[in-house]
């Protein structure tokens, strides 16, 4: 590994029909991993052009990522019939404990037995149905509109960030097709590929479909690949928990959706903040909701453009997925996130290296030492795999398991579906607030003791989080070939700088272990 002198660590989106959401469920649910004060806002009547929404009559729609292949093997996150008796997620064992299977592991994990307490009281005035009625066939309610529309120039509640940019106006010619892997022959992707210069990206072949069963050969090498999907393998650069015991790093994936505002209203009522891992295709579809999240003090992070399992993509495709999402967020909010979460948690050393080279630190979710996954299974409800009661039981188990951990924890939850939002605002969040022993609920950046300013390149003053791109000296967010963001420059970069390059020889090797350990000590 070649390191620059004095810089060891300079290397790491209202109106949409419900049919749209139901259509995307088929493409999305089959691939789930089992697994500071802001300025007063001004209301305006800005009209924003909307991108086309996905139609159920779309022509030549590609097969959902991770659908069952010709081998008959299940997608990642489902329980294979060849597993050694591991019950499906959300079922109840004879001990009464809800279980969550570990991807790629055929043994049954041990979890704390939970004494059935029954559903919690229904939160009055929320419109949330009784727990047992939360299911894939439940009636839907109207989409919630954002509380405010913020004008350009409003100052976000983050120290050092630039004011909000001009309101986003969608132009189809400027963006890739929604919910498809972006093409890699664009000028933007070509420019973003330069961010990998000077970094060694491990020469790992893409997996077949991001699932253990779909690629037995890669699964057999999961530990060497650092493949989280199969066995939960992590590296020191991954954020997987909060350091303080009984602290929950609250986050929601895949939005914003027509129901996200219900969640935002609840969080505001309870004075809670969360991390939102946003999908680029949703950012350009519902920019006002992304602004609402950000201006209310929630953290915004990258969750790719089309929500595909990243290990199944080529290096250029991974760059396109991350780059276009990063650009969408910057266009709407004026800031560039320094963190990301891979869809389904599907990451390996190749994807890690790409993410880190592009200035984004991976955030996962927690597992117990015995392999229990901190996944609420709320995504399984709209899929028809479990009902609300079963998902809530899983969450009860998660909290019980969390009491046995010496650290805090991060949980996988979603705001893409009405059912998952109902579960959050009606049940899981209230349960956590009333839980004994008392829990501390924080957004992930705060729970890992990062100042919010460090979560965006424009305001970041941390010289080791994320890694500074050593070849370009910053990030070319808009993909025009010029570096436009340097860490901590407040968005004032006007030209690219060049620093000495370095090479990460191999994640998992002795030297990266040393660097990773030192990096982890800074978190």
């Amino acid at each position: 590994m070649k390191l620059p002198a004095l810089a060891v660590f300079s290397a790491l989106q209202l109106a949409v029909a419900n049919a749209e959401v139901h259509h995307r469920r088929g493409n999305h649910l089959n691939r789930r991993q089992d697994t500071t004060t802001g300025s007063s806002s001004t209301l305006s009547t800005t009209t924003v052009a909307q991108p086309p929404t996905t139609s159920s009559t779309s022509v030549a729609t590609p097969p959902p990522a991770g659908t069952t292949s010709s081998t008959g093997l299940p997608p990642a996150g489902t329980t294979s019939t060849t597993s050694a008796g591991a019950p499906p997620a959300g079922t109840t064992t004879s001990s009464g404990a809800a279980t969550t299977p570990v991807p790629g592991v055929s043994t049954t994990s041990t979890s704390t037995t939970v004494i059935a307490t029954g559903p919690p009281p229904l939160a009055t005035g929320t419109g949330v149905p009784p727990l047992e009625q939360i299911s894939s066939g439940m009636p839907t309610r109207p989409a919630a509109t954002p509380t405010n529309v913020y004008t350009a120039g409003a100052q976000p509640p983050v120290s050092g960030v630039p004011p909000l940019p001009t309101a986003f106006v969608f132009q189809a010619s400027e963006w890739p097709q929604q919910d498809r892997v972006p093409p890699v022959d664009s000028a933007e992707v070509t420019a973003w590929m330069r961010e990998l210069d000077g970094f060694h990206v491990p020469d790992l072949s893409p997996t077949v479909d991001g699932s253990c069963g779909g690629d037995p050969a890669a699964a057999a090498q999961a530990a060497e690949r650092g493949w989280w999907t199969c066995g939960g393998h992590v590296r020191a650069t991954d954020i997987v928990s909060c350091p303080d015991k009984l602290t929950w790093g609250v986050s929601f994936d895949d939005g914003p959706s027509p129901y996200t505002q219900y969640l935002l209203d609840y969080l505001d009522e309870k004075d809670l903040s969360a991390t939102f891992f946003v999908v680029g295709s949703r950012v350009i579809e519902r920019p006002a909701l992304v602004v609402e999240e950000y201006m209310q003090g929630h953290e915004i992070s990258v969750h790719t453009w089309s929500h595909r399992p990243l290990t199944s993509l080529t290096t250029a495709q991974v760059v396109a997925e991350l780059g276009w999402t990063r650009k969408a967020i910057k266009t709407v909010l004026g800031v560039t996130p320094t963190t990301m979460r891979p869809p389904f948690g599907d990451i390996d050393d190749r994807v890690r290296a790409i993410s880190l080279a592009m200035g984004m630190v991976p955030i996962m979710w927690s597992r117990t030492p015995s392999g229990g996954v901190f996944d609420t299974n709320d995504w399984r409800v709209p899929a028809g795999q479990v009902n609300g009661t079963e998902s809530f039981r899983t969450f009860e188990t998660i909290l019980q398991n969390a009491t046995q951990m010496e650290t805090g924890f991060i949980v996988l939850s979603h705001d893409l579906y009405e059912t998952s939002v109902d579960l959050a605002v009606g049940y899981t969040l209230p349960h956590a607030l009333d839980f004994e022993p008392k829990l501390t609920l924080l957004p992930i950046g705060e729970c890992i003791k990062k100042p919010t300013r460090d979560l965006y390149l424009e305001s970041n003053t941390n010289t080791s989080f994320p890694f500074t791109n050593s070849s370009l000296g910053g990030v070319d967010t808009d993909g025009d070939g010029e570096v436009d963001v340097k860490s901590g420059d407040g968005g004032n970069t006007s030209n690219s700088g060049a620093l000495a390059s370095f090479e990460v020889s191999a994640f998992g090797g002795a030297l990266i272990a040393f660097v990773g350990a030192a990096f982890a000590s800074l978190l």
Side-chain angles (χ1 to χ4, degrees):
M1 175 184 291
K2 292 175 283 184
L3 299 171
L6 305 177
V8 172
F9 304 108
S10 295
L12 300 186
Q13 178 201 119
L14 119 132
V16 59
N18 286 328
E20 171 220 345
V21 175
H22 295 310
H23 169 70
R24 268 200 309 273
R25 286 172 178 169
N27 286 344
H28 191 72
L29 294 168
N30 290 332
R31 276 299 295 115
R32 265 287 156 209
Q33 166 70 34
D34 64 334
T35 23
T36 315
T37 301
S39 64
S40 57
S41 61
T42 334
L43 291 176
S44 75
T45 56
T46 302
T47 300
V48 178
Q50 295 293 331
T53 56
T54 307
S55 167
S56 58
T57 59
S58 295
V59 179
T61 300
T67 50
T68 305
S69 66
S70 57
T71 62
L73 293 167
T78 58
T79 304
S80 170
T81 56
T82 60
S83 296
T91 58
T92 304
T93 66
S94 57
S95 67
T99 63
T100 307
V102 181
V105 179
S106 59
T107 56
T108 304
S109 62
T110 302
S111 61
T112 304
T113 299
V114 178
I115 300 174
T117 59
L122 175 64
T124 59
T126 64
V128 178
L131 188 59
E132 65 275 8
Q133 293 180 16
I134 297 180
S135 66
S136 60
M138 62 179 278
T140 60
R141 55 179 166 162
T145 57
T147 304
N148 298 297
V149 176
Y150 296 88
T151 58
Q155 187 61 45
V158 181
S159 176
V161 299
L164 282 182
T166 303
F168 175 81
V169 177
F170 175 75
Q171 299 289 342
S173 62
E174 297 177 357
W175 301 96
Q177 186 171 352
Q178 291 170 267
D179 305 308
R180 304 279 186 96
V181 177
V184 299
D185 58 354
S186 67
E188 290 87 352
V189 175
T190 299
W192 294 329
M193 287 292 292
R194 292 180 55 213
E195 296 179 26
L196 275 55
D197 292 348
F199 285 74
H200 173 78
V201 177
D203 187 20
L204 298 175
S205 300
T207 62
V208 172
D209 60 5
S211 74
C212 311
D215 197 335
Q221 299 177 334
E224 293 82 1
R225 297 175 66 109
W227 194 9
W228 195 90
T229 302
C230 297
H233 301 288
V234 299
R235 301 306 191 209
T237 51
D238 297 343
I239 297 170
V240 298
S241 63
C242 306
D244 294 341
K245 185 178 177 64
L246 298 177
T247 298
W248 173 15
V250 184
S251 64
F252 298 92
D253 289 21
D254 302 353
S257 78
Y259 306 101
T260 296
Q261 188 63 50
Y262 290 113
L263 175 59
L264 293 174
D265 290 346
Y266 179 86
L267 294 172
D268 182 57
E269 176 190 342
K270 300 300 181 181
D271 196 25
L272 296 173
S273 296
T275 302
F276 285 88
F277 293 94
V278 296
V279 171
S281 292
R282 306 285 74 75
V283 172
I284 65 169
E285 187 176 279
R286 301 186 183 91
L289 274 168
V290 183
V291 172
E292 185 88 352
E293 291 170 349
Y294 178 57
M295 295 298 284
Q296 285 191 9
H298 303 290
E299 299 170 359
I300 307 298
S301 184
V302 169
H303 198 43
T304 76
W305 181 261
S306 69
H307 203 279
R308 296 298 195 271
L310 292 181
T311 69
S312 70
L313 304 182
T314 67
T315 293
Q317 287 175 322
V318 176
V319 168
E321 287 278 342
L322 297 175
W324 281 111
T325 306
R326 186 179 66 181
K327 179 176 181 177
I329 295 170
K330 174 69 180 287
T331 303
V332 171
L333 299 180
V335 291
T336 309
T338 59
T339 61
M340 60 83 74
R341 174 175 282 171
F344 322 110
D346 190 45
I347 196 170
D348 60 11
D349 287 342
R350 179 177 64 97
V351 174
R352 279 188 188 91
I354 297 167
S355 176
L356 292 167
M358 296 181 72
M360 287 169 276
V361 177
I363 300 179
M364 312 303 288
W365 50 96
S366 300
R367 294 178 181 236
T368 65
S370 60
V373 185
F374 280 40
D375 177 352
T376 61
N377 288 328
D378 58 352
W379 56 271
R380 290 185 181 270
V381 178
Q385 298 173 3
V386 302
N387 59 31
T389 301
E390 292 167 319
S391 174
F392 181 72
R393 286 174 182 166
T394 299
F395 183 70
E396 288 184 305
T397 300
I398 287 172
L399 294 194
Q400 291 296 335
N401 284 338
T403 65
Q404 307 303 310
M405 297 172 61
E406 293 305 314
T407 66
F409 57 100
I410 297 172
V411 178
L412 179 64
S413 301
H414 302 82
D415 65 317
L416 180 60
Y417 314 108
E418 181 178 17
T419 53
S420 59
V421 169
D422 283 350
L423 282 166
V425 305
Y427 302 101
T428 58
L429 287 168
H431 183 61
L433 290 171
D434 293 338
F435 189 75
E436 293 293 340
K438 182 176 177 57
L439 301 174
T440 300
L441 279 62
L442 298 173
I444 295 173
E446 186 174 349
C447 95
I448 63 169
K449 306 183 185 300
K450 284 289 171 200
T452 307
R453 65 180 301 152
D454 286 3
L455 304 180
Y456 308 104
L457 282 177
E458 291 74 10
S459 55
N460 181 33
T461 57
N462 190 323
T463 59
S464 61
F465 182 96
F467 288 128
T468 301
N469 185 287
S470 60
S471 295
L472 301 180
V475 170
D476 179 13
T477 308
D478 55 14
D480 65 354
E482 296 283 335
V483 169
D484 47 30
V485 184
K486 290 182 181 179
S487 187
D489 74 352
N492 294 319
T493 298
S494 58
N495 51 57
S496 61
L499 299 177
S501 67
F502 78 104
E503 180 177 347
V504 178
S505 60
F507 285 88
L511 190 51
I512 190 61
F514 167 76
V515 174
F519 176 81
S521 70
L522 297 175
L523 297 181

